[in-house]
Amino acid sequence: MPKNRNTFSSPAAWWRGVLARAVHSGWRWVQEAGAVTAEHPGRLRFRRLGKGTRLAFPQGTVFGEPWIELGDHCIIGEQVTLTAGMMPGLDLGADPILTLGNGVVLGRGSHVIADTRVTIGPDTYCGPYVYITSTNHSYDDPHEPVGKQWPRMEPVEIGAGCWLGTGSVVLPGARLGRNVVVAAGAVVRGEVPDHSVVAGAPARVVRSWDPVRGWQPPLRTPPPVPIPEGITPEQLLALAELEES
């Protein structure tokens, strides 16, 4: 019977397993060491870096930190870009340019480009690869390359408790109210009222909350089952492991 060279009994496979474990262990160490927190900011000197906030390693492009404020307990995923100003080294004045409220989550690969004022309210969650910008190219002159024309800038404001889906884009001048849901891939411009769901490119309101009639049109999914009072996180983890087994 021919020998199987892929079996773990062979020396090569054994060493490969040892090497794989070492690489994964080393990468976890690098991620931990490279994360940015208030206690270990590394080279970054933000205007404010709140308690419990963490920028995962590796970080994306980050500049203009003296004009960036990050609230408490924010989660900034890997490869997230945070910039204030059009380029590094500019004096942007006395006021902050980019502000994240407490508990903001920015998913992996997201970009927040603040050439003028951008505010993200507390407890706003962004999925991966969300793009928020206060600047857009102009193309007024048909004879000049678009990239050489001076861009337009307008402030962006995202209210508290919003949820921005994967790949969504928020354009200059957008103002999102409180608890707004932005569907994946939507392109948002203009003003969005509180408690709305927007989708599409350009995004439009597809569902909204009425104080008397509730969500209109009605939700198609049943409400989530609330966690019973007195349940500890350890008990929830044990229950999840039991369901998986």
Side-chain angles (χ1 to χ4, degrees), residues 147-174:
K148 293 184 177 181
Q149 300 188 45
W150 193 253
R152 286 190 171 87
M153 304 177 189
E154 294 184 77
V156 172
E157 182 177 349
I158 298 175
C162 293
W163 173 27
L164 280 64
T166 300
S168 56
V169 177
V170 179
L171 294 176

Side-chain angles (χ1 to χ4, degrees), residues 6-236:
N6 294 323
T7 58
F8 287 101
S9 59
S10 69
W14 185 86
W15 279 112
R16 182 180 178 85
V18 170
L19 181 60
R21 289 192 293 272
V23 168
H24 287 293
S25 178
W27 178 244
R28 285 194 295 270
W29 183 89
V30 169
Q31 287 180 307
E32 184 65 29
V36 171
T37 63
E39 295 77 18
H40 303 284
R43 64 176 179 82
L44 301 176
R45 295 294 182 267
F46 291 101
R47 185 186 185 98
R48 180 172 185 265
L49 182 53
K51 177 183 177 182
T53 289
R54 182 183 179 93
L55 284 75
F57 180 86
Q59 291 90 39
T61 301
V62 179
F63 62 76
E65 308 98 281
W67 292 273
I68 299 177
E69 295 183 332
L70 306 179
D72 298 336
H73 305 292
C74 295
I75 300 175
I76 313 299
E78 296 179 12
Q79 298 290 357
V80 169
T81 290
L82 298 172
T83 64
M86 296 189 70
M87 62 186 69
L90 299 178
D91 185 350
L92 304 177
D95 298 324
I97 299 297
L98 171 57
T99 300
L100 271 61
N102 297 337
V104 168
V105 175
L106 296 177
R108 177 188 179 96
S110 293
H111 289 61
V112 184
I113 311 299
D115 294 337
T116 189
R117 191 85 170 97
V118 173
T119 304
I120 302 178
D123 299 316
T124 285
Y125 286 25
C126 298
Y129 308 106
V130 169
Y131 193 91
I132 301 168
T133 180
S134 65
T135 303
N136 211 348
H137 290 287
S138 59
Y139 49 90
D140 302 63
D141 188 344
H143 307 293
E144 187 73 13
V146 173
K148 293 184 177 181
Q149 300 188 45
W150 193 253
R152 286 190 171 87
M153 304 177 189
E154 294 184 77
V156 172
E157 182 177 349
I158 298 175
C162 293
W163 173 27
L164 280 64
T166 300
S168 56
V169 177
V170 179
L171 294 176
R175 295 183 61 189
L176 280 64
R178 183 181 182 87
N179 283 28
V180 169
V181 176
V182 178
V187 179
V188 184
R189 62 184 184 184
E191 190 158 348
V192 180
D194 295 349
H195 308 293
S196 299
V197 180
V198 295
R204 61 183 182 85
V205 175
V206 296
R207 179 172 280 121
S208 57
W209 170 261
D210 182 274
V212 177
R213 299 185 299 161
W215 286 105
Q216 296 298 320
L219 297 174
R220 293 174 293 187
T221 54
V225 178
I227 299 174
E229 293 184 8
I231 297 295
T232 65
E234 292 77 13
Q235 290 172 322
L236 287 175

